[in-house]
């Protein structure tokens, strides 16, 4: 089938494009390139030997979205497009609400007009209102009492999708709640290409390993965790990508949410140690104050994804570090200015 990937030039979208193409699907991408580079699509084509139809356009613009649906026979949509910086969402909330919510409404309108009923949506573990318990299952509360506007855009979209499915029995929606996506494709050709200073741990560690930055700032070591540093569920992006293929195959009428994680937590120091083992020298770090809004620990209950979708993460944190390093060291400037 032909799958439209909104935001398909980005980190998770490009890896998912590879998995979809390698599973025999056709891929169309609609991306404004606001946080990505056309080179990622060329690399996807290089890895797979298949072509991708790329439309450069903004999903908040109904005319541009209409053009894509008019030109292509879309069978299903995976909706990755969105702005994702937690810190930026705090300083520029309107931009986040407008981009993430408007783009989704424009997309859903177009899907209704073109009678496209199948949708997979990129949500986040951040939609769970933290209550300190782990592992987190899909029936955890998704409300608006969250630490930042970014998370609220995701929670709102989840509610919008449920309202829409209540009004249209033909819709088939999978909401995928990613935990912490990390790593890169094993070819070293595609990976995460953050603009400016990375917000997330793994790309920051990679840039320290490369010598681009001096040391990792570890945000607090007094949490109630085994070594005092924050614990997260780091899931390899190639596993995550395979989760989208499984979600598309498993779509059923209505809306169903699935956690995509490994089910295991790793601390900040464990990530730094795993990366140090890959590069065979210690990644320098210092302990600094905790970051506002962080929780001590978050990892997924993955039993529903396994039971219903038949999906489970295969790759380890060590695989993710090795693949992140292959990507980082082979592409020190990311996709560059190409
Ligand atoms: P990314 O920034 O690499 O990819 C998002 C893509 O969407 C980019 O290519 C960007 O150019 C595009 N985009 C943004 N706004 C657009 C618009 N209005 N019109 C067209 N294209 C637009 O991010 P990613 O890490 O690949 O994340 C993909 C999705 O998964 C996002 O929705 C993100 O919020 C969600 N998510 C990411 C993580 C993570 O840690 N990476 C975790 C949970 C959820
Ligand atoms: C991981 C751990 C930090 C950077 C974020 C978003 C979430 C989702 C994934 C999109 C924490 C620590 C980090 C650093 C550090 N994104 N850390 N030094 O915060 O779990 O999740 O990305 O949906 O919404 O909030 O990921 O990679 O930022 O942090 O010590 O320089 O690493 O405190 O314990 P997080 P992260």
């Amino acid at each position: 089938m032909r799958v439209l990937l909104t935001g398909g030039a980005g980190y998770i979208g490009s890896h998912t494009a590879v998995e979809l193409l390698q599973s025999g699907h056709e891929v169309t991408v609609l991306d404004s390139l606001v946080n990505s580079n056309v080179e990622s699509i060329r690399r996807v084509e290089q890895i797979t030997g298949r072509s991708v139809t790329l439309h450069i356009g903004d999903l908040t613009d109904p005319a541009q979205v209409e053009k894509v649906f008019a030109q292509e026979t879309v069978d299903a949509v995976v909706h990755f497009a969105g702005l994702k910086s937690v810190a930026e969402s705090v300083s520029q909330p309107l931009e986040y609400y407008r981009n993430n919510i408007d783009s989704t409404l424009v997309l859903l309108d177009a899907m209704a007009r073109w009678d496209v009923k199948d949708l997979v949506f990129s949500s986040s573990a951040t939609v769970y209102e933290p209550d300190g318990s782990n592992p987190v299952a899909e029936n955890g509360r998704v409300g608006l009492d969250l630490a930042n506007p970014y998370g609220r855009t995701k929670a709102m979209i989840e509610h919008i999708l449920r309202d829409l499915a209540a009004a249209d029995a033909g819709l088939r929606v999978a909401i995928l709640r990613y935990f912490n996506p990390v790593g890169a494709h094993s070819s070293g050709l595609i990976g995460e290409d953050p603009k400016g200073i990375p917000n997330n741990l793994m790309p920051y560690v990679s840039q320290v390993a490369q010598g681009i930055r001096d040391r990792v700032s570890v945000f607090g070591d007094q949490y109630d965790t085994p070594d005092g540093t924050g614990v997260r569920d780091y899931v390899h992006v190639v596993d995550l990508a395979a989760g989208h293929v499984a979600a598309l195959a498993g779509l059923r009428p209505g809306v169903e949410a699935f956690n995509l994680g490994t089910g295991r937590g790793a601390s900040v120091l464990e990530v730094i140690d795993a990366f140090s083992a890959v590069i065979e020298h210690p990644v320098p770090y210092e302990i600094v104050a905790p970051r506002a809004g962080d929780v001590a620990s978050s990892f997924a209950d993955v039993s529903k994804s396994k039971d219903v979708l038949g999906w489970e993460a295969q790759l380890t944190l060590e695989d993710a570090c090795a693949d992140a390093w292959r990507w980082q060291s082979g592409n020190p400037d990311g996709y560059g200015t190409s």
Side-chain angles (χ1 to χ4, degrees):
M1 70 184 166
R2 178 164 290 277
V3 187
L4 171 63
L5 308 189
T6 74
Y11 173 46
I12 302 168
S14 55
H15 288 81
T16 302
V18 168
E19 296 306 306
L20 284 167
L21 289 164
Q22 289 180 337
S23 306
H25 298 294
E26 314 286 331
V27 169
T28 295
V29 167
L30 171 58
D31 200 306
S32 63
L33 306 180
V34 63
N35 196 38
S36 52
N37 192 303
V38 68
E39 178 65 14
S40 68
I41 298 295
R42 304 285 84 92
R43 305 267 183 106
V44 167
E45 292 179 325
Q46 191 182 339
I47 292 167
T48 60
R50 304 268 316 275
S51 64
V52 172
T53 312
L54 171 64
H55 297 262
I56 299 173
D58 197 313
L59 205 57
T60 60
D61 178 349
Q64 296 192 32
V65 177
E66 184 66 15
K67 212 171 84 188
V68 174
F69 279 84
Q71 283 177 13
E72 314 266 348
T73 309
V74 174
D75 298 304
V77 178
V78 185
H79 180 33
F80 296 103
L83 299 175
K84 64 163 181 176
S85 160
V86 166
E88 212 173 60
S89 81
V90 173
S91 60
Q92 299 166 43
L94 266 190
E95 194 177 329
Y96 270 66
Y97 285 115
R98 186 168 295 123
N99 190 73
N100 292 3
I101 310 266
D102 273 7
S103 60
T104 304
L105 296 178
V106 169
L107 172 68
L108 293 170
D109 256 342
M111 287 177 64
R113 261 196 313 282
W114 291 90
D115 202 30
V116 178
K117 299 291 190 188
D118 288 358
L119 176 68
V120 173
F121 171 61
S122 292
S123 190
S124 169
T126 206
V127 300
Y128 293 116
E129 287 185 352
D131 67 0
S133 66
N134 278 295
V136 184
E138 287 84 349
N139 59 7
R141 187 175 153 75
V142 175
L144 297 178
D145 190 11
L146 303 171
N148 56 74
Y150 165 73
R152 272 186 283 280
T153 68
K154 292 291 178 190
M156 285 177 186
I157 293 168
E158 288 203 12
H159 287 293
I160 290 169
L161 293 173
R162 289 185 194 280
D163 288 341
L164 203 64
D168 177 355
L171 270 186
R172 306 196 308 167
V173 180
I175 289 171
L176 302 183
R177 297 182 185 143
Y178 313 151
F179 278 66
N180 290 62
V182 289
H185 193 262
S186 60
S187 62
L189 288 172
I190 57 172
E192 188 167 10
D193 183 17
K195 290 198 161 90
I197 301 171
N199 297 304
N200 296 115
L201 179 64
M202 182 74 88
Y204 203 102
V205 171
S206 303
Q207 293 195 0
V208 172
Q210 182 80 47
I212 298 171
R213 306 194 187 279
D214 289 345
R215 66 187 76 83
V216 182
S217 297
V218 175
F219 298 144
D221 67 349
Q222 300 297 317
Y223 286 110
D224 184 16
T225 60
D227 66 18
T229 66
V231 165
R232 296 290 184 277
D233 187 336
Y234 297 95
V235 55
H236 196 297
V237 66
V238 172
D239 278 331
L240 196 72
H244 294 72
V245 181
L248 278 168
L251 282 174
R252 296 185 300 200
V255 180
E256 207 62 67
F258 298 98
N259 285 341
L260 295 186
T262 64
R264 289 178 301 280
S267 73
V268 177
L269 294 183
E270 283 175 298
V271 172
I272 293 174
D273 283 350
F275 214 101
S276 301
V278 167
I279 63 171
E280 297 178 335
H281 64 81
V283 173
Y285 68 86
E286 65 176 337
I287 308 292
V288 301
R291 184 173 62 180
D294 274 356
V295 294
S297 189
S298 169
F299 53 94
D301 180 334
V302 288
S303 48
K304 182 177 175 188
S305 300
K306 187 177 173 189
D307 294 346
V308 179
L309 299 178
W311 173 88
E312 91 186 291
Q314 308 289 330
L315 299 163
T316 63
L317 179 61
E318 288 68 26
D319 295 325
C321 293
D323 291 332
W325 179 237
R326 192 176 301 106
W327 157 252
Q328 174 69 48
S329 52
N331 308 266
D333 301 321
Y335 294 114
T337 50
S338 48

